[in-house]
Structure formats: structure tokens, C-alpha cells
Amino acid sequence: MKKLVVVAVLLLSVTAFAQEKRKKGPEMSAEKKVELQVARLKIELDLNEKQTAELRTVFQERLQKQNKLRAEFGSKKDSLHKPSPAQREQMKKIKSDNKKVFEEQLKKILTATQFETWNQLKTDRQNKTKDRMQKRSPGEN
């Protein structure tokens, strides 16, 4: 009987650990995220101080817009209902418009070669993400 109890406890503890979600690391503040993005681009694109300051402002504005949209659309849906197709289309359109505005702002700040380098880096990151997603097992979240 004792062995049965010990085995049951071991099995329960193993399944409890198996159910534990992976931690993605400490949550960063919005300012810290902006600073890391700007610092990375400063190195990768060899930005001057004026460009760095302008980029910091653009990234902060973009982050504020994204947070506002998340709050707005997040309040329209509850945990039981998914967004309607019309809401999804509206979200896609807003996201696309914001992306175009962001890229236009970057074109004004960066030189042509810097902008091309930025585009190439963005494409490389997207491809790496796609590759990682394809390598993941279907049950892994």
C-alpha cells in the first residue's frame, strides 16, 4: 500500500511539472523596450545622435498607438467571444495603415542605404521567426 501511495505521489508531481508553462523572462517596461530597439538599430545602422533621438520619439509614439489599440479592441471582446470578421478586417486595416506611417517616418529619418539595411534586417528576422515556427512541434505552445 505504501508503494502505491509513493508511486501515485511521484506521478502527480511529474505531471504537475509537465503542465508548468515556460517563462519567457522578466517583463520589460515600455521605455526599456524602446531603448533596446533604438540601441540595436544605432549599432546595426550606424546612426548619428539626431537620428537616434528621432527614432526614439517614433518608437515611443508607435508603442503608445499599439497600446491604445490593444486596449480598445481588447475591451470589445470578452473571453468567450472571438472578434467578428468585420472587427478582424478593421484591425488588419488599422495595423497596415500604422505600419505604412511608421515606414514613412523611418524613410524620413534614415538615409537610403540605412533604410535598405533596415528592410533587409527586418526580412531576415521574419524568416528566422518563420523557420522557428515550422520547427516547433504542433503541441508546443
Side-chain angles (χ1 to χ4, degrees):
M1 184 69 180
K2 283 184 179 180
K3 290 180 184 178
L4 184 63
V5 171
V6 170
V7 169
V9 169
L10 285 174
L11 286 175
L12 287 174
S13 64
V14 168
T15 57
F17 284 114
Q19 298 296 322
E20 202 172 293
K21 293 195 180 245
R22 286 185 283 162
K23 295 180 181 178
K24 294 182 181 178
E27 197 63 34
M28 277 194 277
S29 68
E31 296 82 21
K32 179 105 174 154
K33 288 178 186 179
V34 169
E35 288 304 317
L36 287 174
Q37 284 178 325
V38 171
R40 180 179 50 84
L41 288 178
K42 183 177 182 178
I43 293 168
E44 290 174 344
L45 302 177
D46 194 31
L47 302 175
N48 61 36
E49 291 303 316
K50 181 182 176 195
Q51 288 174 316
T52 303
E54 290 173 351
L55 266 182
R56 185 174 291 114
T57 304
V58 168
F59 278 123
Q60 287 170 341
E61 290 172 1
R62 181 178 185 213
L63 190 64
Q64 288 172 352
K65 282 182 186 177
Q66 286 174 338
N67 289 339
K68 182 182 172 187
L69 285 173
R70 272 192 203 109
E72 180 183 332
F73 282 105
S75 66
K76 289 183 180 180
K77 69 172 189 165
D78 58 19
S79 61
L80 299 176
H81 299 94
K82 293 182 179 180
S84 69
Q87 285 177 325
R88 276 193 224 123
E89 286 302 317
Q90 183 184 10
M91 286 188 273
K92 284 181 185 178
K93 183 176 180 348
I94 291 172
K95 187 176 177 180
S96 174
D97 292 344
N98 286 345
K99 184 179 176 181
K100 287 177 186 173
V101 168
F102 175 70
E103 286 185 2
E104 288 300 320
Q105 289 174 328
L106 284 182
K107 279 183 184 177
K108 290 178 185 176
I109 296 171
L110 302 175
T111 65
T113 55
Q114 287 173 329
F115 188 75
E116 285 301 316
T117 305
W118 176 80
N119 261 334
Q120 185 60 44
L121 291 169
K122 181 179 77 164
T123 305
D124 292 345
R125 279 192 307 274
Q126 289 171 342
N127 289 337
K128 283 181 184 178
T129 302
K130 284 180 186 177
D131 290 343
R132 276 196 313 259
M133 292 302 289
Q134 289 174 350
K135 290 178 183 176
R136 285 178 59 180
S137 63
E140 189 178 336
N141 282 332

